[in-house]
Amino acid sequence: MLFLRLSWESLRFALNALKSNLTRTILSLLGVTVGIFAIIAVFTLVDSLENNIKSSFSFLGTNVIRVDKFPFQSGPPGNFPWWKYFRRPNNTVEEYEFLKNRLTTAEGITIAASANTTVAAGSNAYQGVSLTGAFEDYGDVYDVPIEEGRFFNGNEIKAARNLAVIGKKIANTLFPNQSAVGKEFKIKGLKFVVVGIFEEEGSGVLDLPSKDEACLIPYPAFTKLFNTGKNGINPTIAAKGKEEDVGLVAIENEMIGLLRAKRALKPTEDDSFSLNKTEFLQNAIGSVFDVISTAGWVIGGFSILVGGFGIANIMFVSVRERTNIIGIQKSLGAKNYFILFQFLFEAVCLSLIGGGTGIILVYFLSFIQLGSLDLILSFGNIILGIGVSSIIGVVSGIVPATLAARMDPVEAIRTA
């Protein structure tokens, strides 16, 4: 109890010292404020940008492995055997059905083919539509958020019905000021009926495919419009793992064996396909932002270093000004840690106030709209700012506080 009471008294002395020298206090915390603001602002910008870009890749799915001709990872520049991958056979519906009937480690598996096209309804048209032909199990692998209407079912797919689920931008363009569900539109001269509308996704930082500009139709209906399979568009077979990492490893090994068997590849022959994990692109993006974060630490670190030296300088001045008071306190029986805590608390309070001010400035900065990027100050970055401020305060104040605690009371009282 005595220790806690003395610690509280030390904190009160520190706060009173800060109040009595308000101008000096404000000037000394500016360096820490700028440093913490720089670091947390960079981290907030990097985190927000990274989340926005990763969400832009949501069309690739999560925990998904794809069968493609080309690998995502191309290897060293100038050493990419594109001609080898180009000669690989296209995926087929037969291979998809073969995998679907035999794959045991997948939560879901589907096949889809895509192409860019133009859709029209009356005098309205929308160019650059991402048209995808899919089966009913498409939603088992990819997110299919329907805002209005429904998804087509297995019977409608088998019957090759001309149905479609369209994005919000397409719906608003083709059918302004009215519901698009139940309306007809044309793709390459064929009539399609809208049965569903995707939830609005919004624009991202990168110009990547968005469900707002997507149109999903039954796979057999897609083959009416485009040549697909061995001699046409290469459809993508995709499977979703049951668990993170472990599920992908298991499904990858099983898919390699099944596909090699289906394509009758000899043991000495290389794979005629690539299995691509969607997480590869996200990890690559994360590596880039790690470098940017390091640059943020360097930029903010110099400001914090200057701020730390400023606090240390102020604390040395404060110890010199209060040498006589320190002598009186020690002569009255004050413990060394009581004196040490006074100056250490003062340094930490200075640093925390500066750091808190920097965090508040970042918080107000997050209200600024940077195009389609929403800045979000995360709880983790707030804790980081407070933690760094506390460490700077302790490091800057420990030496002056230790010198004050070790003063001889008689010599201290003699000092004018």
Side-chain angles (χ1 to χ4, degrees), residues 262-283:
K262 177 62 178 174
R263 296 187 178 184
L265 296 175
K266 297 177 181 179
T268 56
E269 291 181 298
D270 293 334
D271 293 339
S272 61
F273 53 85
S274 292
L275 297 184
N276 293 317
K277 299 175 184 177
T278 55
E279 280 73 10
F280 171 79
L281 295 177
Q282 295 182 347
N283 293 336

mmCIF file of all heavy atoms in Angstrom, residues 262-283:
data_model
loop_
_atom_site.group_PDB
_atom_site.id
_atom_site.type_symbol
_atom_site.label_atom_id
_atom_site.label_comp_id
_atom_site.label_asym_id
_atom_site.label_seq_id
_atom_site.Cartn_x
_atom_site.Cartn_y
_atom_site.Cartn_z
ATOM 1 N N LYS A 262 -6.876 -38.803 -65.291
ATOM 2 C CA LYS A 262 -7.876 -38.466 -66.300
ATOM 3 C C LYS A 262 -7.234 -38.130 -67.640
ATOM 4 O O LYS A 262 -7.752 -38.508 -68.710
ATOM 5 C CB LYS A 262 -8.712 -37.283 -65.802
ATOM 6 C CG LYS A 262 -9.754 -36.772 -66.797
ATOM 7 C CD LYS A 262 -10.790 -37.834 -67.123
ATOM 8 C CE LYS A 262 -11.853 -37.282 -68.075
ATOM 9 N NZ LYS A 262 -12.792 -38.335 -68.515
ATOM 10 N N ARG A 263 -6.080 -37.462 -67.599
ATOM 11 C CA ARG A 263 -5.400 -37.067 -68.840
ATOM 12 C C ARG A 263 -4.401 -38.121 -69.307
ATOM 13 O O ARG A 263 -3.649 -37.882 -70.258
ATOM 14 C CB ARG A 263 -4.721 -35.713 -68.653
ATOM 15 C CG ARG A 263 -5.712 -34.584 -68.396
ATOM 16 C CD ARG A 263 -5.063 -33.225 -68.388
ATOM 17 N NE ARG A 263 -6.061 -32.172 -68.195
ATOM 18 C CZ ARG A 263 -5.805 -30.862 -68.223
ATOM 19 N NH1 ARG A 263 -4.556 -30.445 -68.432
ATOM 20 N NH2 ARG A 263 -6.767 -29.977 -68.046
ATOM 21 N N ALA A 264 -4.376 -39.250 -68.606
ATOM 22 C CA ALA A 264 -3.529 -40.391 -68.994
ATOM 23 C C ALA A 264 -2.067 -39.989 -69.134
ATOM 24 O O ALA A 264 -1.389 -40.348 -70.125
ATOM 25 C CB ALA A 264 -4.046 -41.011 -70.292
ATOM 26 N N LEU A 265 -1.555 -39.253 -68.180
ATOM 27 C CA LEU A 265 -0.155 -38.837 -68.201
ATOM 28 C C LEU A 265 0.726 -39.946 -67.641
ATOM 29 O O LEU A 265 0.407 -40.563 -66.621
ATOM 30 C CB LEU A 265 0.031 -37.560 -67.374
ATOM 31 C CG LEU A 265 -0.690 -36.311 -67.880
ATOM 32 C CD1 LEU A 265 -0.502 -35.159 -66.892
ATOM 33 C CD2 LEU A 265 -0.189 -35.911 -69.259
ATOM 34 N N LYS A 266 1.833 -40.202 -68.305
ATOM 35 C CA LYS A 266 2.776 -41.208 -67.841
ATOM 36 C C LYS A 266 3.570 -40.674 -66.647
ATOM 37 O O LYS A 266 3.707 -39.452 -66.483
ATOM 38 C CB LYS A 266 3.726 -41.593 -68.976
ATOM 39 C CG LYS A 266 3.033 -42.231 -70.171
ATOM 40 C CD LYS A 266 4.016 -42.526 -71.282
ATOM 41 C CE LYS A 266 3.306 -43.135 -72.489
ATOM 42 N NZ LYS A 266 4.248 -43.404 -73.601
ATOM 43 N N PRO A 267 4.115 -41.555 -65.813
ATOM 44 C CA PRO A 267 4.882 -41.100 -64.632
ATOM 45 C C PRO A 267 6.042 -40.182 -64.977
ATOM 46 O O PRO A 267 6.424 -39.330 -64.170
ATOM 47 C CB PRO A 267 5.378 -42.418 -64.016
ATOM 48 C CG PRO A 267 4.382 -43.444 -64.464
ATOM 49 C CD PRO A 267 3.953 -43.024 -65.833
ATOM 50 N N THR A 268 6.622 -40.353 -66.166
ATOM 51 C CA THR A 268 7.772 -39.526 -66.562
ATOM 52 C C THR A 268 7.356 -38.183 -67.161
ATOM 53 O O THR A 268 8.205 -37.325 -67.382
ATOM 54 C CB THR A 268 8.639 -40.290 -67.579
ATOM 55 O OG1 THR A 268 7.826 -40.678 -68.689
ATOM 56 C CG2 THR A 268 9.253 -41.528 -66.941
ATOM 57 N N GLU A 269 6.076 -38.007 -67.465
ATOM 58 C CA GLU A 269 5.592 -36.776 -68.095
ATOM 59 C C GLU A 269 5.284 -35.715 -67.039
ATOM 60 O O GLU A 269 4.818 -36.030 -65.931
ATOM 61 C CB GLU A 269 4.335 -37.044 -68.923
ATOM 62 C CG GLU A 269 4.581 -37.867 -70.169
ATOM 63 C CD GLU A 269 3.311 -38.077 -70.971
ATOM 64 O OE1 GLU A 269 2.371 -38.705 -70.433
ATOM 65 O OE2 GLU A 269 3.237 -37.607 -72.123
ATOM 66 N N ASP A 270 5.513 -34.455 -67.412
ATOM 67 C CA ASP A 270 5.181 -33.342 -66.521
ATOM 68 C C ASP A 270 3.675 -33.131 -66.479
ATOM 69 O O ASP A 270 2.945 -33.569 -67.381
ATOM 70 C CB ASP A 270 5.862 -32.050 -67.006
ATOM 71 C CG ASP A 270 7.378 -32.127 -66.879
ATOM 72 O OD1 ASP A 270 7.865 -32.884 -66.016
ATOM 73 O OD2 ASP A 270 8.065 -31.436 -67.664
ATOM 74 N N ASP A 271 3.216 -32.433 -65.454
ATOM 75 C CA ASP A 271 1.798 -32.080 -65.365
ATOM 76 C C ASP A 271 1.416 -31.209 -66.554
ATOM 77 O O ASP A 271 2.188 -30.325 -66.973
ATOM 78 C CB ASP A 271 1.502 -31.326 -64.070
ATOM 79 C CG ASP A 271 1.686 -32.202 -62.838
ATOM 80 O OD1 ASP A 271 1.640 -33.440 -62.974
ATOM 81 O OD2 ASP A 271 1.877 -31.638 -61.740
ATOM 82 N N SER A 272 0.245 -31.433 -67.110
ATOM 83 C CA SER A 272 -0.251 -30.615 -68.220
ATOM 84 C C SER A 272 -1.242 -29.570 -67.722
ATOM 85 O O SER A 272 -2.127 -29.138 -68.452
ATOM 86 C CB SER A 272 -0.923 -31.520 -69.268
ATOM 87 O OG SER A 272 -2.022 -32.207 -68.682
ATOM 88 N N PHE A 273 -1.079 -29.164 -66.476
ATOM 89 C CA PHE A 273 -1.970 -28.181 -65.845
ATOM 90 C C PHE A 273 -1.214 -27.515 -64.704
ATOM 91 O O PHE A 273 -0.156 -28.003 -64.274
ATOM 92 C CB PHE A 273 -3.223 -28.881 -65.307
ATOM 93 C CG PHE A 273 -2.917 -30.051 -64.408
ATOM 94 C CD1 PHE A 273 -2.676 -29.880 -63.049
ATOM 95 C CD2 PHE A 273 -2.832 -31.338 -64.951
ATOM 96 C CE1 PHE A 273 -2.364 -30.960 -62.242
ATOM 97 C CE2 PHE A 273 -2.524 -32.422 -64.140
ATOM 98 C CZ PHE A 273 -2.288 -32.242 -62.787
ATOM 99 N N SER A 274 -1.746 -26.406 -64.239
ATOM 100 C CA SER A 274 -1.205 -25.701 -63.065
ATOM 101 C C SER A 274 -2.308 -25.574 -62.030
ATOM 102 O O SER A 274 -3.440 -25.215 -62.356
ATOM 103 C CB SER A 274 -0.688 -24.314 -63.451
ATOM 104 O OG SER A 274 0.451 -24.401 -64.273
ATOM 105 N N LEU A 275 -1.967 -25.851 -60.784
ATOM 106 C CA LEU A 275 -2.897 -25.653 -59.679
ATOM 107 C C LEU A 275 -2.507 -24.371 -58.960
ATOM 108 O O LEU A 275 -1.408 -24.278 -58.393
ATOM 109 C CB LEU A 275 -2.864 -26.850 -58.719
ATOM 110 C CG LEU A 275 -3.303 -28.200 -59.298
ATOM 111 C CD1 LEU A 275 -3.327 -29.267 -58.217
ATOM 112 C CD2 LEU A 275 -4.673 -28.097 -59.956
ATOM 113 N N ASN A 276 -3.373 -23.386 -59.029
ATOM 114 C CA ASN A 276 -3.076 -22.067 -58.472
ATOM 115 C C ASN A 276 -3.929 -21.789 -57.241
ATOM 116 O O ASN A 276 -5.146 -21.962 -57.271
ATOM 117 C CB ASN A 276 -3.334 -20.973 -59.517
ATOM 118 C CG ASN A 276 -2.353 -21.051 -60.669
ATOM 119 O OD1 ASN A 276 -1.164 -21.257 -60.460
ATOM 120 N ND2 ASN A 276 -2.850 -20.917 -61.893
ATOM 121 N N LYS A 277 -3.251 -21.366 -56.166
ATOM 122 C CA LYS A 277 -3.962 -20.989 -54.953
ATOM 123 C C LYS A 277 -4.223 -19.485 -54.994
ATOM 124 O O LYS A 277 -3.308 -18.697 -55.281
ATOM 125 C CB LYS A 277 -3.138 -21.340 -53.713
ATOM 126 C CG LYS A 277 -2.848 -22.823 -53.586
ATOM 127 C CD LYS A 277 -1.927 -23.105 -52.398
ATOM 128 C CE LYS A 277 -1.564 -24.577 -52.330
ATOM 129 N NZ LYS A 277 -0.620 -24.870 -51.233
ATOM 130 N N THR A 278 -5.446 -19.100 -54.703
ATOM 131 C CA THR A 278 -5.797 -17.680 -54.770
ATOM 132 C C THR A 278 -5.041 -16.873 -53.713
ATOM 133 O O THR A 278 -4.842 -15.670 -53.871
ATOM 134 C CB THR A 278 -7.304 -17.499 -54.563
ATOM 135 O OG1 THR A 278 -7.695 -18.119 -53.322
ATOM 136 C CG2 THR A 278 -8.084 -18.152 -55.687
ATOM 137 N N GLU A 279 -4.619 -17.535 -52.617
ATOM 138 C CA GLU A 279 -3.900 -16.829 -51.568
ATOM 139 C C GLU A 279 -2.529 -16.343 -52.036
ATOM 140 O O GLU A 279 -1.933 -15.459 -51.430
ATOM 141 C CB GLU A 279 -3.718 -17.731 -50.337
ATOM 142 C CG GLU A 279 -4.934 -17.830 -49.438
ATOM 143 C CD GLU A 279 -6.041 -18.679 -50.040
ATOM 144 O OE1 GLU A 279 -5.784 -19.346 -51.066
ATOM 145 O OE2 GLU A 279 -7.155 -18.667 -49.498
ATOM 146 N N PHE A 280 -2.022 -16.925 -53.141
ATOM 147 C CA PHE A 280 -0.704 -16.517 -53.632
ATOM 148 C C PHE A 280 -0.675 -15.039 -53.971
ATOM 149 O O PHE A 280 0.280 -14.319 -53.626
ATOM 150 C CB PHE A 280 -0.328 -17.347 -54.862
ATOM 151 C CG PHE A 280 0.908 -16.857 -55.565
ATOM 152 C CD1 PHE A 280 2.163 -17.151 -55.073
ATOM 153 C CD2 PHE A 280 0.811 -16.081 -56.709
ATOM 154 C CE1 PHE A 280 3.302 -16.681 -55.714
ATOM 155 C CE2 PHE A 280 1.939 -15.609 -57.355
ATOM 156 C CZ PHE A 280 3.191 -15.917 -56.856
ATOM 157 N N LEU A 281 -1.723 -14.563 -54.657
ATOM 158 C CA LEU A 281 -1.778 -13.153 -55.038
ATOM 159 C C LEU A 281 -1.886 -12.257 -53.811
ATOM 160 O O LEU A 281 -1.243 -11.207 -53.729
ATOM 161 C CB LEU A 281 -2.960 -12.909 -55.978
ATOM 162 C CG LEU A 281 -2.896 -13.594 -57.341
ATOM 163 C CD1 LEU A 281 -4.165 -13.317 -58.135
ATOM 164 C CD2 LEU A 281 -1.680 -13.122 -58.119
ATOM 165 N N GLN A 282 -2.695 -12.683 -52.832
ATOM 166 C CA GLN A 282 -2.851 -11.892 -51.614
ATOM 167 C C GLN A 282 -1.554 -11.841 -50.827
ATOM 168 O O GLN A 282 -1.196 -10.797 -50.270
ATOM 169 C CB GLN A 282 -3.977 -12.463 -50.763
ATOM 170 C CG GLN A 282 -5.352 -12.365 -51.424
ATOM 171 C CD GLN A 282 -6.461 -12.885 -50.542
ATOM 172 O OE1 GLN A 282 -6.217 -13.537 -49.541
ATOM 173 N NE2 GLN A 282 -7.697 -12.613 -50.920
ATOM 174 N N ASN A 283 -0.823 -12.954 -50.782
ATOM 175 C CA ASN A 283 0.464 -12.968 -50.075
ATOM 176 C C ASN A 283 1.485 -12.090 -50.780
ATOM 177 O O ASN A 283 2.306 -11.427 -50.134
ATOM 178 C CB ASN A 283 0.994 -14.398 -49.964
ATOM 179 C CG ASN A 283 0.142 -15.270 -49.068
ATOM 180 O OD1 ASN A 283 -0.570 -14.763 -48.194
ATOM 181 N ND2 ASN A 283 0.195 -16.574 -49.256
#
